[in-house]
Amino acid sequence: MASDSSTQGRFFELKDDMFGRWDTQFLKADSANIGEAPRCPACGETLGMREWLPPYQVELELHGEQWGDFAKGGSNGFLISEHMARSFRAEELSGLLGFHPVEVVRLRKKRKRLVSAVVPSYCMVTACLGPGAVDEARSQLRRTEPVKCSECRSTGLDSIHGYTLEPGTWKGEDVFHPRGVPGSLVASERFAEFVQRHGLTNMKLIPTEEYTWDPLRKGPPPAQPAVP
């Protein structure tokens, strides 16, 4: 199983580097305003968490030794440092929306050792719901039920044992939520090079064909006939 690299490059599951040196997380402030969750225009299925509305106030948590450029929390969005935001826009990458300034109302340091006390400024961003769709025939997904909606392709998942995108569905976004893998955040090869070039921190980029998520330990789905 491999991505069609000849036409669209490789794709990566974008995760935070939990337990790493730059492990930074956040919680929305208790006063956070929450809106409605996005829904599929075709079937009405919920497509993610309810929208986080301004003002964007957070409790920032440092679990590592230094503040990272990327932070996830219980939200439909995530935080990126202003340095990362400026570089992303300067190089005209695509897929991130918002870039709203964040007010840090509380700092929590989970370790006694702290190399740097300087807290960077952060922006709140969301990733677009991209047109890129999972290639069901070339992916190893254990679904709770068959896909019924051809638009969102959303249905429950018990496990992921590598996946790839259907050729021709990706339209060039550098960070996006793909159709067919709820909760996944996918990055392009160009974004992976951008992260490495700028030395951006608290991010793990796992090739989608190698990505495994199996909380119930059910293993891969039954073998399917080979795709020509």
Side-chain angles (χ1 to χ4, degrees):
M1 179 176 57
S3 299
D4 187 4
S5 59
S6 64
T7 59
Q8 58 189 16
R10 300 185 74 188
F11 295 101
F12 302 84
E13 184 82 13
L14 174 55
K15 309 290 286 186
D16 56 336
D17 191 13
M18 190 175 292
F19 308 119
R21 181 182 180 189
W22 305 87
D23 186 357
T24 304
Q25 301 173 28
F26 76 93
L27 298 171
K28 297 188 295 291
D30 293 339
S31 58
N33 293 325
I34 304 298
E36 298 299 319
R39 292 184 177 274
C40 173
C43 70
E45 181 70 23
T46 300
L47 300 178
M49 302 178 70
R50 295 172 63 187
E51 185 181 5
W52 182 19
L53 302 173
Y56 300 104
Q57 298 177 319
V58 301
E59 296 182 7
L60 204 57
E61 296 186 342
L62 179 62
H63 294 258
E65 298 174 6
Q66 294 184 320
W67 302 100
D69 289 297
F70 178 83
K72 295 190 74 174
S75 167
N76 61 319
F78 46 93
L79 306 186
I80 62 174
S81 67
E82 282 196 356
H83 164 62
M84 179 174 171
R86 285 195 304 270
S87 300
F88 187 93
R89 289 183 287 191
E91 297 191 21
E92 299 183 342
L93 273 67
S94 65
L96 294 183
L97 310 172
F99 297 92
H100 301 291
V102 167
E103 179 187 359
V104 178
V105 297
R106 185 176 181 181
L107 294 175
R108 299 172 181 260
K109 299 171 185 177
K110 299 297 185 177
R111 291 185 183 181
K112 293 182 179 179
R113 184 185 178 193
L114 182 64
V115 175
S116 175
V118 178
V119 182
S121 297
Y122 287 96
C123 298
M124 196 286 289
V125 295
T126 57
C128 69
L129 295 171
V134 170
D135 190 326
E136 295 288 332
R138 291 180 169 84
S139 300
Q140 295 290 307
L141 308 175
R142 184 181 284 275
R143 294 199 179 276
T144 57
E145 57 184 78
V147 173
K148 298 177 181 178
C149 178
S150 60
E151 174 64 24
C152 68
R153 308 192 185 190
S154 181
T155 187
L157 279 173
D158 279 340
S159 66
I160 301 171
H161 299 270
Y163 66 95
T164 189
L165 298 186
E166 184 178 308
T169 59
W170 177 63
K171 302 303 179 184
E173 302 83 5
D174 292 298
V175 185
F176 60 97
H177 295 294
R179 293 186 292 150
V181 189
S184 278
L185 185 61
V186 171
S188 68
E189 191 167 18
R190 186 166 78 139
F191 181 82
E193 293 169 351
F194 163 78
V195 169
Q196 183 177 24
R197 186 168 61 254
H198 289 277
L200 300 172
T201 58
N202 199 35
M203 282 175 278
K204 293 175 67 176
L205 290 157
I206 306 166
T208 57
E209 62 269 23
E210 299 174 11
Y211 176 65
T212 299
W213 176 79
D214 189 4
L216 302 178
R217 299 184 179 180
K218 289 193 172 184
Q224 300 292 323
V227 177

